[in-house]
Amino acid sequence: MGKVFIVGAGPGDVDLITVKGLRCIECADVILYDRLINKELLSYAKREAKLIFCGKLPQQHAMIQEQINRSLVSYAQQGLIVTRLKGGDPFVFGRGAEEAEVLAQHHIPFEIVPGITSGIAAPAYAGIPVTHRDLSSSFAMVTGHMQEGKDDAIRWESLAKGIETIAIYMGVGNLPYIRQQLLKYGRDEETPVALIHWGTFSQQKTVTGTLANIEDIVQRENIQNPSIIVVGKVVTLRESIQWFEQNIPQSNLAEISV
C-alpha cells in the first residue's frame, strides 16, 4: 500500500510552499495538481514522476471530483507515493477533507500538509493586514461561489454587522450581489474594498475603492478571477505599507486607487 499526501501549495509565490510540502513533491511517484498552483513547483518533482493535471476551470472540470478520488485510491493501492497538490490550503475551500474521507474509507494512509491560504497571503502582498490593533479584531473567510436566491447559505447580516475584515474568495462574478448584501445589512457605503488579482504572483494587480464605487472600478480595470476581495478599514493601510509591487517589473504592475 502506498500513501497520499494532500498538500497545500500556497497562494502562488513558489517560495510560499512549506518545507514539508516541497518534500512531498520531491518524493512523489504521482502528482495530481490543480489549476491555480504555481507550475514552477512541479520542477521539483522526480524526473520519472507522473504529473496529472486535474484543475477545475469555472464551468469546466478537467477531472470531476469522483475521478480525482478514484485516481488517488488507485495509485495508492498500486503502492505508489501520491501527492495531491492543491492551491492555497487543502482545508480552506479546497475540498481536501472530501478526498481525505475517501482515502479513510479505503484504509489508505494519508497526511494533510497545510498551506498558506490566499485569503491571508494576497492581502499581505497588497500591503493589507487582515487584522490590526486599531482597525480590525475580527476576520472571516467567505466563498464567493454563491448563487443569488439559490445556494447562498452565507449569513450576510452577521458578516455585515459583526465582522470587521471579510476576505471573499473567487467572488468577482458575484461582486454586485456581495456588495448589495453588505449594504442591505448596514455596512457603510464608504467601507474600503480591495480586489487582489493573481495575488502573490508576479502579475499581481490590486484595485481599491469603496462599497459605493468598487463595482465600477472592477469593470473599468477588467479584474477577473482568481481574485480575493477584502472588505474593511484595514484596506486603508495599503496606502502606507504596500511593498510587493515595488519589487516586480513595472510592466506587470497596474493599480488604481480611488
Side-chain angles (χ1 to χ4, degrees), residues 5-10 14 16-28 31 41 44-45 83-85 111-115:
F5 295 92
I6 301 177
V7 177
V14 70
L16 293 181
I17 193 170
T18 64
V19 172
K20 186 167 184 176
L22 190 60
R23 287 174 179 162
C24 291
I25 293 173
E26 291 172 338
C27 75
I31 299 175
L41 288 170
Y44 292 91
T83 289
R84 175 71 174 102
L85 196 57
E111 292 188 27
I112 308 296
V113 182

Side-chain angles (χ1 to χ4, degrees), residues 72 150 176:
L72 294 175
K150 293 184 178 179

Side-chain angles (χ1 to χ4, degrees), residues 157-203:
E157 184 172 6
S158 298
L159 287 172
K161 294 179 178 177
I163 303 297
E164 288 160 306
T165 303
I166 307 169
I168 303 166
Y169 290 65
M170 307 292 274
V172 174
N174 281 320
L175 182 59
Y177 177 66
I178 292 167
R179 175 180 167 277
Q180 176 193 64
Q181 293 298 299
L182 292 173
L183 292 173
K184 173 183 175 181
Y185 290 112
R187 203 72 167 217
D188 191 283
E189 66 176 8
E190 293 305 313
T191 301
V193 182
L195 276 88
I196 306 143
H197 180 52
W198 286 114
T200 81
F201 283 85
S202 61
Q203 65 267 46

Side-chain angles (χ1 to χ4, degrees), residues 81-101:
I81 299 299
V82 182
T83 289
R84 175 71 174 102
L85 196 57
K86 306 172 81 71
D89 180 275
F91 278 8
V92 179
F93 306 126
R95 305 187 73 168
E98 296 174 40
E99 294 174 6
E101 285 181 300

Side-chain angles (χ1 to χ4, degrees), residues 119-120 123-124 128-142 158-168 182 187 191-194 196 228-237:
I120 295 172
I128 301 170
V130 294
T131 67
H132 185 277
R133 188 170 60 174
D134 298 326
L135 299 177
S136 175
S137 58
S138 57
F139 168 56
M141 294 185 283
V142 179
S158 298
L159 287 172
K161 294 179 178 177
I163 303 297
E164 288 160 306
T165 303
I166 307 169
I168 303 166
L182 292 173
R187 203 72 167 217
T191 301
V193 182
I196 306 143
I228 292 287
I229 303 171
V230 183
V231 179
K233 292 180 181 177
V234 290
V235 170
T236 61
L237 289 168

